[in-house]
Every structure is written in C-alpha cells, then in structure tokens.
Amino acid sequence: PLLSRRTANWTMDTQPIQLIKRLSAVRATIRRRLLAYGVIVVAAGGVAAFLAVVLLDWLLWFPSAVRVVVAGMFFVGFGVATWHWIIRPLGAAVGMEEVAARLENHFRPLRDRLTSSLSFLQRRDAGSETMMRRVVAATERLIADSPLESALSLRPLLRSGGVLTGSIVVLMLVRWMSPGFLGTGFYRYIYPWGEIEWPRTVSILPLTGYEKV
C-alpha cells in the first residue's frame, strides 16, 4: 500500500533524482579520465621529446642558433599537444543522451530504457504520464545495483600510464649512468647563448713517444 501510494502521488513535476545523479556521476568520471589520459600522454611525450633533443644535441653539437630553434619547436609542440589532448577534450560537450546511449550498448537490460527515461524527464509531453512513470521507475530499479562506471574502459589510461612509466625509467637510468648528461643538456637549452659544452673523453697520443694520455 505504501508503494502504491507513492506511485499514485508521483508526477513528472517531481522528477526522480537518482537517475540523473547516476548519469551525472558517470559523465564526471569520463571527464576525470579524459583529463588524466591527456596529462599522462602529454607528460610521456614531453619526456621522450626531451631525451631525443638532448641525445641529438650530444651527438651533433648543435650551435646556439639551432638550439634556440629546437627549443622553440619543443615548446610549440608541447603547447599543441596540451591543446589537443587536454584542453580540447575537456571543452567537448558530453551530453546526457550520449552517456545514456553508451551505457545501453554495454548493459543489455537497459536497452532503450535509459534514453527513453531521460527523454521522458526532459520532455513531459513525450507520452502518457502513467507510461512515463512506469518506464522511469523500472529504469531506476535496474540501475540501482548496476555498476555503470564499469562500462568505461581503463585500457587507454593503463597503456598511456605504461608509456609514461617507461619514459621515466629511461630518464632515471640515463641520470644514474651519466649524472651530468641531463643537466648539461637542460642548461644548454635554458641558456643557449652560454658557454656550457658537452664533456668529452679525448685520447692523446704524442708523436714523439708511445705514451697515451
């Protein structure tokens, strides 16, 4: 009797909050993962690019003018990557309808129910109030115990995290094997017109003897 009384008193003016809350939570999770994915990708690319630039400079001894151009290209590329992987995805509109459609593709029992319920809550003249009330109530019961966030794949985030971890490991190995290598490369691009040069190991064989220094 209590349940039937609640159902009888329910109207579309008192919209169920649970369904909207669940969809909003899923959308917030999507945005957080997009942000994390973008930050990881940009960081991994920045570390790899820095190692490549320093290694090429060590091999070719770039002059000051070339180092200025390479540093500018690095910062421009970093800015473009930040815009492409972080700013633009966060600015993209992720609508409730799109989230509901994705969830329906993952959870078969929700097929056509979630988008219909969302449509009923947004458009009160979509059909009979009794029919809309029953569909929304049934949908809320279905999503009550459904792990909706499990529909979001973690594979891209894990792959990018693995790439970032590998880049950091390589960076730490280079720093451990040659303590001054990264510092010299860093300062050569912070002060491209300075006098900081790469250290070299030189073998000297005098012409008048057999001693090697």
Side-chain angles (χ1 to χ4, degrees):
L2 180 60
L3 179 62
S4 61
R5 189 179 303 115
R6 285 181 180 177
T7 304
N9 292 333
W10 186 88
T11 63
M12 296 304 293
D13 293 330
T14 57
Q15 296 179 358
I17 302 177
Q18 186 63 27
L19 189 146
I20 303 298
K21 279 186 175 181
R22 293 297 301 277
L23 291 179
S24 298
V26 174
R27 185 168 62 175
T29 302
I30 292 174
R31 291 191 176 277
R32 285 194 300 269
R33 292 189 183 181
L34 281 175
L35 176 60
Y37 178 76
V39 170
I40 291 174
V41 168
V42 172
V47 172
F50 172 73
L51 287 173
V53 167
V54 171
L55 180 60
L56 287 175
D57 188 22
W58 178 73
L59 291 173
L60 303 176
W61 278 59
F62 290 152
S64 299
V66 175
R67 293 201 301 271
V68 171
V69 173
V70 172
M73 294 173 59
F74 177 86
F75 285 110
V76 169
F78 190 83
V80 171
T82 302
W83 168 261
H84 180 76
W85 294 106
I86 299 177
I87 299 176
R88 193 176 69 170
L90 289 180
V94 182
M96 288 287 196
E97 295 82 1
E98 183 179 357
V99 174
R102 298 280 184 174
L103 292 175
E104 286 182 345
N105 290 334
H106 187 79
F107 297 99
R108 291 189 176 275
L110 292 177
R111 190 63 56 89
D112 296 331
R113 289 178 176 269
L114 200 54
T115 53
S116 298
S117 299
L118 189 61
S119 176
F120 294 157
L121 293 175
Q122 293 175 346
R123 296 181 53 194
R124 303 177 184 180
D125 57 348
S128 133
E129 183 175 336
T130 302
M131 181 269 294
M132 292 189 293
R133 181 173 62 244
R134 289 178 179 176
V135 171
V136 172
T139 304
E140 285 204 321
R141 286 195 297 270
L142 284 174
I143 68 172
D145 299 323
S146 298
L148 299 183
E149 286 76 9
S150 65
L152 308 178
S153 176
L154 282 172
R155 290 180 182 178
L157 197 59
L158 294 177
R159 284 198 297 265
S160 60
V163 173
L164 177 59
T165 302
S167 301
I168 293 176
V169 168
V170 173
L171 191 69
M172 292 297 102
L173 286 175
V174 171
R175 180 178 176 83
W176 175 67
M177 296 175 64
S178 180
F181 180 78
L182 296 178
T184 302
F186 179 77
Y187 283 112
R188 277 174 64 82
Y189 283 89
I190 293 296
Y191 306 104
W193 306 105
E195 298 181 354
I196 300 176
E197 299 291 345
W198 291 106
R200 292 295 191 187
T201 300
V202 181
S203 178
I204 302 175
L205 181 62
L207 296 177
T208 57
Y210 296 98
E211 294 81 4
K212 182 181 292 187
V213 181

